[in-house]
Each structure stands twice: as structure tokens, then as C-alpha cells.
Amino acid sequence: MKLSSRSFLKGACATILASFIGTAVTAQEFQALFSHGFKPDSPHHAAALQMVDEVAEASGGRIEIKVFHSGQAGTARENFEALQLGSLQITTSPTARIAGFVPELQVFDLPFLFPSYDKMVEVLDGPVGQEMLGLLAPQNVLGVAFYIDGLKNMTANKPLRTLADFEGFKMRTMESPIIMEQYRALGANPVPLDFLEVYNALQMGTVDGQENPTNLIHDMKFYEVQDYLTLTEHAMLGGILMFSQDWYNSLPDDLQAIMMDAGVTYVQRQRVGVQQIVARDLEAIEASGTKIIELTAEERDVFREATLPVHKIYTEQYGDAMLSLIYDAAK
């Protein structure tokens, strides 16, 4: 008899966690597995390791967190399902990767949604962001805060300056219908692929290009197999730090407060870390031989106008209440 994917995930993550717990010091009352998909030299992983130490100290050693990086414990979708099942306690995921569970989160994938980085931060940390985090509750997941990787740019083996450049172009996207609609609006063919599969897909020509913030383009070395980086800054890439609701509820009040504080500190530290390395990463990409393309205001406006109908697609499916709140907050 075949096991369902959810049963397999529950067993696999439980095995990893059991192995971890089996070696834990008995004085520790609570253990947690923290799985994410970022590289060990990323600001995300550095912030996670600091979270481990700070939680251990603040809790007097009552909580031990073990971190797995680079998707060692599964993809973003698998980690989210494991969080729901309670076999994983902490994870991060781009909003686009969990759109199948909470479709409304696709609002953050809309192109040209925020006028600036600072306004984006203000919205995510304000009442609108808190309302969006609350949508995870029916999934048995606690949304803690939004981490931010920045504004997305595009790589390809040619400049992407006009709509004609997207004709027949195979663009790798995340599993987000909204992002896929964005590239259809530009005239491209969206190809959803897992983040960890993108480098090989670019190298083999399975896809022609991809979108990501500069730091992730650098960290994943996409520039090694792409000749051009076009600075479109067309949409945000952000995600959510999440806890297993069952695990969090099992903690006494004082430890819940420690974990919530540590989670907020994690995202703040991750954001600062990313901001500090963006300029350095862009220089490294250019030094590698990849050509940096800066769009004119007119060229960027053409892309914005072409993709505005995607906002309407969102409202047709999920109503305009949330989008209107973001419009108002982002003014």
C-alpha cells in the first residue's frame, strides 16, 4: 500500500526530530527543529543561529533549537505541511510557496505593489501585515512576522528591456498563480520550479531566466549561468517566519513570550543582514562578467502598465478588501 505524501512527510520529519531529541540534554524541557531553504552563509541562517543561542539563554536552557539549512529537511511546501502535522516546529517560507494553503497571501506577489522598500516594511509590520499573518491560523500555523529579501530583479541571457524581449521566454517562477499571471501579461511562459532546482534548470536551458532579489541571485550563483541582470525591482520577495501552533501552545506563557520575541528579532536581524550585503553582491555579480542593465523610468512604466491587469485578477478571485487596505497603507 502506498503511503500518502503527508504520511511520508510526517514520518520523515518525525525521524529527523526524534534523532535530534534523542541526543538532547535531559534538562531541556522543549526541543524544536527549525528548517529553512537558505544557504549556510546567508543572513537568514546567521539570524537563525543567533536565535538558537538567544532562546537558550533567555529560557535558561529550557528550549533547544536545532537548525537545518539548504532544504536539508524538505522543501518549503513539505516544511509547511510538517508544521501543520506537528513534526516540525519552526520554518520560513516565501508567501508565494504557501499560496496553495492561503491563497490570499498572493497579494504580496503582485507586481509594482509598493512605491518603495521603506513603505513595504511599514505595511508588512503594520495592521495590514498582522491581518495577513492571522490567515495562517486555520492551517494550524502561527505566523510570527515577515522576513524580507528585497525587491526582485530578473536575469537572462539577454537584456529584458521591452515586452518583445519576453515573447516565447521561459521564466522560472514560484508556485504562485499570481506570479505566473504576471509573466503571461508580459508575454512570457512561466515555468514553476522549486528554488533549489533553478541553477540546474538555467544551466540546462530548461528555463531562460528567473526573478529574485540581488542577494539571492548572488547566493545561489545564478549569475554564473546568466549573462544579464536587469534591475526591474518589479515586486517584493518576502516570506513568513512560522511556528507550529500545537508546539507553541504547548509552551508555558513565559516561554511563548521568549519565542515570540526571538521570532521578531530574527526577522529584524535578517532584514538588516540582507540590506548590508546587497551593494556588495551587486558588485560581485558585475565583476563576474554578468552585465547589469538599468531600466529607464519609461521602460519600467511599460512593464508596470502591462502587469496592472494582474491586480484585477487578484480582486476578482479574492475581493478588493485586502488590496484596498494595502493601497491605502502604501500611499
Side-chain angles (χ1 to χ4, degrees):
M1 183 170 123
K2 279 180 94 174
L3 288 173
S4 70
S5 61
R6 287 176 67 87
S7 297
F8 174 78
L9 284 169
K10 185 174 183 179
C13 289
T15 299
I16 294 172
L17 185 57
S19 174
F20 158 56
I21 292 175
T23 60
V25 179
T26 55
Q28 291 153 345
E29 298 175 37
F30 301 94
Q31 291 83 33
L33 175 64
F34 183 171
S35 173
H36 66 77
F38 298 99
K39 297 291 186 181
D41 58 351
S42 66
H44 313 73
H45 188 60
L49 294 180
Q50 288 176 284
M51 181 180 179
V52 170
D53 293 338
E54 290 171 356
V55 166
E57 181 177 356
S59 69
R62 295 167 66 195
I63 301 177
E64 181 184 32
I65 302 172
K66 176 72 172 180
V67 181
F68 287 82
H69 59 77
S70 307
Q72 292 171 322
T75 66
R77 182 182 181 88
E78 290 168 345
N79 285 171
F80 188 86
E81 291 182 341
L83 212 66
Q84 292 176 303
L85 294 167
S87 52
L88 181 68
Q89 289 69 49
I90 309 170
T91 194
T92 60
S93 174
T95 54
R97 294 298 307 280
I98 54 176
F101 302 96
V102 187
E104 295 88 345
L105 289 174
Q106 292 179 84
V107 69
F108 294 121
D109 298 323
L110 288 171
F112 302 101
L113 183 62
F114 300 104
S116 67
Y117 180 91
D118 289 343
K119 185 58 68 172
M120 175 176 65
V121 171
E122 182 181 324
V123 173
L124 293 180
D125 290 348
V128 174
Q130 289 301 309
E131 186 168 343
M132 296 302 288
L133 291 173
L135 296 175
L136 290 162
Q139 300 292 326
N140 201 33
V141 169
L142 175 62
V144 179
F146 290 92
Y147 70 85
I148 301 173
D149 286 312
L151 297 171
K152 293 188 283 188
N153 298 307
M154 302 179 192
T155 66
N157 287 323
K158 64 179 181 180
L160 298 173
R161 286 189 176 275
T162 70
L163 295 180
D165 295 326
F166 288 95
E167 292 179 6
F169 191 86
K170 295 176 292 185
M171 176 64 81
R172 177 269 170 178
T173 71
M174 288 186 277
E175 292 181 74
S176 165
I178 288 295
I179 295 178
M180 296 173 73
E181 288 294 343
Q182 170 191 313
Y183 282 101
R184 291 190 185 104
L186 290 171
N189 300 319
V191 180
L193 280 176
D194 185 76
F195 185 56
L196 299 177
E197 298 175 9
V198 178
Y199 185 96
N200 287 338
L202 292 169
Q203 189 175 44
M204 298 297 292
T206 307
V207 294
D208 300 316
Q210 61 83 47
E211 59 163 20
N212 263 298
T214 300
N215 62 297
L216 295 186
I217 291 170
H218 175 269
D219 288 352
M220 300 303 290
K221 302 188 186 299
F222 296 147
Y223 61 89
E224 292 182 346
V225 288
Q226 299 269 264
D227 295 334
Y228 293 88
L229 168 60
T230 303
L231 301 178
T232 53
E233 296 189 340
H234 57 280
M236 69 164 276
L237 179 61
I240 305 176
L241 173 70
M242 298 168 286
F243 297 158
S244 161
Q245 187 70 68
D246 289 342
W247 177 77
Y248 183 79
N249 289 344
S250 74
L251 301 174
D253 291 346
D254 61 326
L255 296 187
Q256 286 186 358
I258 287 171
M259 285 304 306
M260 190 57 65
D261 288 345
V264 172
T265 300
Y266 166 88
V267 298
Q268 297 294 340
R269 192 169 277 142
Q270 175 272 337
R271 294 177 190 177
V272 171
V274 167
Q275 288 290 91
Q276 289 174 340
I277 64 175
V278 166
R280 182 200 72 190
D281 287 349
L282 190 61
E283 289 179 3
I285 291 170
E286 188 170 25
S288 76
T290 297
K291 297 177 179 63
I292 308 299
I293 305 296
E294 295 191 44
L295 298 179
T296 66
E298 292 76 15
E299 288 171 331
R300 196 166 181 271
D301 279 344
V302 170
F303 290 167
R304 184 180 63 81
E305 291 293 331
T307 57
L308 276 179
V310 182
H311 290 227
K312 184 177 180 181
I313 290 174
Y314 178 88
T315 60
E316 287 173 349
Q317 294 181 353
Y318 310 112
D320 62 359
M322 186 57 63
L323 190 56
S324 294
L325 287 175
I326 293 176
Y327 284 161
D328 290 341
K331 284 180 181 176

